[in-house]
């Protein structure tokens, strides 16, 4: 296995008011060069007592970054080495070239290239995937397309892609193109990281102050006398093409690997009434309910999430 790891060692303590605790196990900054983009991320070496050397690749949610796994990853190092990616346009990873969009299938293609380039030399040729939200969607699509490369799949508050009725295809395309032409507008400049983190606490998936301070520093960069989002603003543009529900069901039905759906009691999927059919089409799926919101692996009491994922990966 060839991890193009940047030699810089980084403790879990972060500057600028991060909520990460200095006592947590250390991680490394890592980097993986693909043909058209360089992806960054964090890695945790396996614990000395690790009984398996199967790599665990962790995939974060939309507008988040690899620090979303800073609580979960150290708890799973007894299972093998862990690599948490920053998706393209997120965290410290490269941005798509001008004129390109952030299409869901391109994230899947990035993951496929990364696995083929850097994770071929595994004990059985396979990896474990742990994805949150968007990361769970990408992981599920990759597992469906490349079942021979995935040993186990974990989806945290995630069960298949967002879908749109077929009749919304052209309105969605029109909306996406109009936004692409209009552009993203000017950067908002924050006086400090704490102010940016405060802004992130609200929204569709609220975060506690501690969780926001943990996650946000990796999404920021200095500019002038303050900080701006390093996250590519094009990530907020509408997708020009989305899957229909029939396509989502077909993709989930193609998953052959053992899979775990970690469903948060107060997560974004907690009120969805249409998930039973999605769950039923996955042949080898376990479901566990855990307390907490959408970021149940990072925010609040994360013990139930850790226990569920560890037991699933240990039992295989």
């Amino acid at each position: 296995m060839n991890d193009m790891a940047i030699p810089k060692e980084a403790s879990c303590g972060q500057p600028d008011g991060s909520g990460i605790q200095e006592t947590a196990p250390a991680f490394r900054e890592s980097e993986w060069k693909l043909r058209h983009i360089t992806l960054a991320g964090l890695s945790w070496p396996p614990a000395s007592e690790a009984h398996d050397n199967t790599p665990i690749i962790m995939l974060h949610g939309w507008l988040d970054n690899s620090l979303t796994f800073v609580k979960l990853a150290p708890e799973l190092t007894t299972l093998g080495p862990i690599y948490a990616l920053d998706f393209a346009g997120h965290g410290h990873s490269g941005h798509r070239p001008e004129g390109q969009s952030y299409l869901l299938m391109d994230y899947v293609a990035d993951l496929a290239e990364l696995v083929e380039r850097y994770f071929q030399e595994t004990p059985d040729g396979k990896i474990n995937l742990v994805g949150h939200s968007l990361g769970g969607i990408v992981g599920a699509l990759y597992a469906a397309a490349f079942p021979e490369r995935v040993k186990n799949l974990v989806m945290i508050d995630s069960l298949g892609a967002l879908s749109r009725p077929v009749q919304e295809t052209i309105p969605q395309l029109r909306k996406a193109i109009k936004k692409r032409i209009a552009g993203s507008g000017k950067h908002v400049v924050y006086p400090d990281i704490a102010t940016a983190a405060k802004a992130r606490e609200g929204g569709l998936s609220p975060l506690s102050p501690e969780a926001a301070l943990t996650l946000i520093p990796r999404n920021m960069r200095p500019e002038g006398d303050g900080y701006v989002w390093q996250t590519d603003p094009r990530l907020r543009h509408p997708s020009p093409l989305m899957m229909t529900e029939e396509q989502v069901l077909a993709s989930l039905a193609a998953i052959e690997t053992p899979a775990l759906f970690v469903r948060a009691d107060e997560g974004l999927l907690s009120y969805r009434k249409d998930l039973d059919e999605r769950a039923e089409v996955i042949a080898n799926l376990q479901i566990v309910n855990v307390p907490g919101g959408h970021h149940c692996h990072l925010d609040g009491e994360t013990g139930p999430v850790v226990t569920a994922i560890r037991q699933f990966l240990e039992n295989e």
Side-chain angles (χ1 to χ4, degrees):
M1 184 163 48
N2 182 11
D3 169 17
M4 289 190 65
I6 300 304
K8 178 173 62 176
E9 289 284 345
S11 76
C12 284
Q14 293 285 313
D16 303 314
S18 168
I20 303 173
Q21 299 300 312
E22 292 286 348
T23 56
F27 52 69
R28 278 194 312 181
E29 289 282 349
S30 295
E31 184 177 277
W32 299 273
K33 294 184 183 297
L34 306 184
R35 284 179 299 174
H36 302 298
I37 198 168
T38 296
L39 299 181
L42 305 174
S43 60
W44 286 259
S48 58
E49 67 271 27
H51 58 78
D52 189 3
N53 201 38
T54 301
I56 300 172
I57 297 181
M58 295 187 161
L59 308 171
H60 64 78
W62 179 61
L63 299 182
D64 289 347
N65 60 66
S66 53
L67 279 174
T68 193
F69 297 112
V70 75
K71 288 187 177 180
L72 177 60
E75 299 290 342
L76 300 180
T77 55
T78 55
L79 303 176
I82 295 178
Y83 304 88
L85 304 186
D86 292 333
F87 279 133
H90 297 75
H92 292 177
S93 284
H95 292 187
R96 303 281 188 216
E98 290 297 323
Q100 287 193 15
S101 302
Y102 285 87
L103 303 178
L104 174 60
M105 299 309 174
D106 285 340
Y107 291 126
V108 183
D110 287 346
L111 176 60
E113 184 181 349
L114 179 134
V115 171
E116 291 306 308
R117 281 179 176 240
Y118 298 106
F119 294 93
Q120 283 282 5
E121 300 174 13
T122 66
D124 56 2
K126 297 186 177 184
I127 58 169
N128 286 315
L129 284 177
V130 176
H132 169 243
S133 197
L134 170 64
I137 296 170
V138 172
L141 287 167
Y142 177 78
F146 298 93
E148 73 278 8
R149 300 294 281 124
V150 183
K151 189 173 185 178
N152 297 286
L153 169 68
V154 176
M155 300 169 286
I156 303 173
D157 214 42
S158 176
L159 193 65
L162 296 175
S163 66
R164 291 289 184 273
V166 67
Q167 61 267 26
E168 293 185 17
T169 300
I170 295 305
Q172 180 74 20
L173 176 62
R174 175 184 171 87
K175 182 169 66 173
I177 292 176
K178 291 189 70 172
K179 180 58 180 177
R180 176 168 166 172
I181 293 171
S184 301
K186 294 182 179 180
H187 287 301
V188 176
V189 180
Y190 298 90
D192 49 46
I193 295 291
T195 303
K198 186 69 176 176
R200 175 59 186 85
E201 289 176 25
L204 182 64
S205 55
L207 293 173
S208 68
E210 179 187 10
L213 282 171
T214 296
L215 195 59
I216 288 308
R218 195 171 180 85
N219 278 350
M220 308 298 294
R221 61 177 173 82
E223 183 170 297
D225 295 329
Y227 293 85
V228 297
W229 296 110
Q230 181 165 268
T231 307
D232 194 329
R234 288 176 293 168
L235 291 167
R236 296 181 178 274
H237 291 194
S239 174
L241 185 64
M242 299 183 71
M243 299 176 75
T244 64
E245 187 63 18
E246 183 180 17
Q247 289 175 314
V248 173
L249 290 172
S251 70
L252 294 175
I255 296 174
E256 301 174 2
T257 187
L260 174 68
F261 171 30
V262 180
R263 187 170 189 169
D265 289 342
E266 299 176 40
L268 293 183
L269 303 185
S270 59
Y271 303 106
R272 289 276 297 270
K273 304 299 184 183
D274 59 341
L275 295 184
D276 288 347
E277 187 176 4
R278 290 190 176 197
E280 287 172 0
V281 300
I282 303 176
N284 195 358
L285 178 68
Q286 297 179 36
I287 302 175
V288 61
N289 292 303
V290 297
H294 187 54
H295 287 79
C296 56
H297 61 294
L298 170 68
D299 213 350
E301 176 49 58
T302 59
V305 178
V306 171
T307 299
I309 295 175
R310 182 191 290 125
Q311 289 180 348
F312 172 72
L313 294 179
E314 284 178 341
N315 294 334
E316 300 179 7

